[in-house]
Amino acid sequence: MRWISRHKKLMIVTMVTILLIIVMSVSYLNDYSTTDPEKKIGNIITLFQEPFVKAGNGLNKGISGIFRFKAVITENEKLKEEISILKNEIINLQLKRNELEELKQLEAALNYANVNQDVTFITGNVIAKDGTNWFNTFTINIGEDDGLTPNCIALNGDGLIGRVFEVGNNWSKIVAIVDDSHSVSFRITRDTKYIGVVDGDGQGSLHGYLMDPNADVLTGDEIITSGLGIFPEGIPIGTVEEVIKDENKLLKTVKVKPYVYFKNIDKVLVIKY
């Protein structure tokens, strides 16, 4: 009796198993027909089977979900790597395109110099600038070893930048035309007989005057180097923003916006004489 009481659960499971085997055998012999007693036994067996089946299905779903989750994580990591590679490729292509554009601009600048003069050209990169917001003075990575001397002319695809004022073995310093120590002689392209002089204001603009007080100068006129002084003739300088008639000096003064953007200069073309 003690053994029965201790193993009551085991006996119940055993009895249910025996009944299940009997029902399956009888069903097979009776061509799958079911009697009322068999139905009642089947109902009881179903009560025992259902929780186990649900638990098994849930376990299968849980395991499948874990594997799917791991697969998604792996796929996401792979996509992140591919995106990172593509971003680097885009950056490299952009840098190459910018480099190409700069070289094209410098190539265009070759047309500004007077080809009748015995001159050669060399490209330099900006490696330092002064402490202001504007490139009033800055340093490039070419110098005496490359044949540069003071007063060599610097320009880019937009127009005139300035001149070399100090030279080292492998570096040079350039003073820009917008520096307040600079003066440039110019002509008006619309009528080249009119000549004037512009000075830098140190803030990125140019101010000057025309020699002829009756000169026909208008807002929007383009001005270029006149060839008087150290700068070769024909290099674009900028456009006239404002014309002011000074009655006391009998001069027409002008404010000029340079073509070169002096807040951002990366490469320069230097004319060597």
Side-chain angles (χ1 to χ4, degrees):
M1 296 294 291
R2 289 183 179 178
W3 186 90
I4 294 173
S5 60
R6 289 178 182 177
H7 299 83
K8 187 181 295 182
K9 292 181 179 180
L10 179 59
M11 289 182 65
I12 293 172
V13 172
T14 303
M15 290 175 65
V16 169
T17 303
I18 293 169
L19 287 172
L20 180 60
I21 293 170
I22 293 170
V23 170
M24 290 174 63
S25 300
V26 172
S27 298
Y28 178 76
L29 294 172
N30 291 328
D31 195 22
Y32 300 105
S33 60
T34 305
T35 63
D36 290 337
E38 289 173 348
K39 289 180 180 179
K40 291 180 181 180
I41 294 172
N43 292 337
I44 295 171
I45 292 171
T46 301
L47 292 175
F48 285 97
Q49 285 179 326
E50 186 175 1
F52 291 104
V53 172
K54 288 183 178 179
N57 291 337
L59 182 61
N60 288 335
K61 290 180 180 179
I63 293 172
S64 300
I66 291 171
F67 281 111
R68 283 198 300 271
F69 182 69
K70 288 184 177 179
V72 169
I73 291 176
T74 302
E75 187 177 356
N76 284 344
E77 291 299 325
K78 185 178 180 181
L79 288 173
K80 285 180 181 178
E81 291 178 4
E82 292 177 356
I83 290 171
S84 178
I85 292 171
L86 289 173
K87 282 183 178 179
N88 288 332
E89 289 180 356
I90 290 171
I91 291 172
N92 290 332
L93 288 173
Q94 185 64 42
L95 291 175
K96 288 179 181 178
R97 190 174 75 174
N98 292 343
E99 181 80 8
L100 182 62
E101 286 298 322
E102 289 175 349
L103 292 175
K104 284 182 178 178
Q105 289 178 355
L106 293 182
E107 183 181 3
L110 295 176
N111 297 324
Y112 302 148
N114 189 339
V115 294
N116 294 323
Q117 297 186 39
D118 184 17
V119 298
T120 55
F121 308 90
I122 184 170
T123 301
N125 295 320
V126 176
I127 56 175
K129 58 169 288 189
D130 62 11
T132 66
N133 289 330
W134 301 94
F135 277 68
N136 291 345
T137 61
F138 57 93
T139 305
I140 57 176
N141 64 344
I142 49 178
E144 287 181 346
D145 294 344
D146 304 289
L148 267 61
T149 59
N151 289 331
C152 285
I153 308 305
L155 60 154
N156 66 11
D158 295 320
L160 182 63
I161 292 177
R163 64 177 177 86
V164 175
F165 73 93
E166 188 176 349
V167 182
N169 290 338
N170 57 1
W171 57 268
S172 299
K173 289 187 177 181
I174 293 175
V175 57
I177 58 173
V178 292
D179 188 77
D180 54 14
S181 65
H182 229 304
S183 295
V184 182
S185 175
F186 71 87
R187 294 181 188 271
I188 299 173
T189 57
R190 187 169 50 83
D191 193 339
T192 57
K193 70 174 178 285
Y194 295 124
I195 298 177
V197 176
V198 287
D199 302 311
D201 64 358
Q203 300 297 319
S205 294
L206 300 167
H207 295 83
Y209 58 90
L210 287 106
M211 304 295 187
D212 185 349
N214 298 315
D216 180 22
V217 58
L218 302 171
T219 300
D221 278 347
E222 180 186 41
I223 66 170
I224 58 174
T225 52
S226 67
L228 301 176
I230 65 172
F231 298 102
E233 183 180 5
I235 302 176
I237 299 173
T239 55
V240 176
E241 280 192 312
E242 187 178 0
V243 180
I244 304 168
K245 180 67 179 294
D246 190 337
E247 299 292 345
N248 296 325
K249 296 181 180 180
L250 299 177
L251 294 174
K252 281 188 176 179
T253 59
V254 292
K255 179 180 178 182
V256 176
K257 181 180 180 181
Y259 284 129
V260 175
Y261 184 58
F262 286 94
K263 276 192 173 183
N264 183 22
I265 301 174
D266 295 320
K267 290 182 180 293
V268 299
L269 189 72
V270 180
I271 302 175
K272 299 192 301 180
Y273 295 96

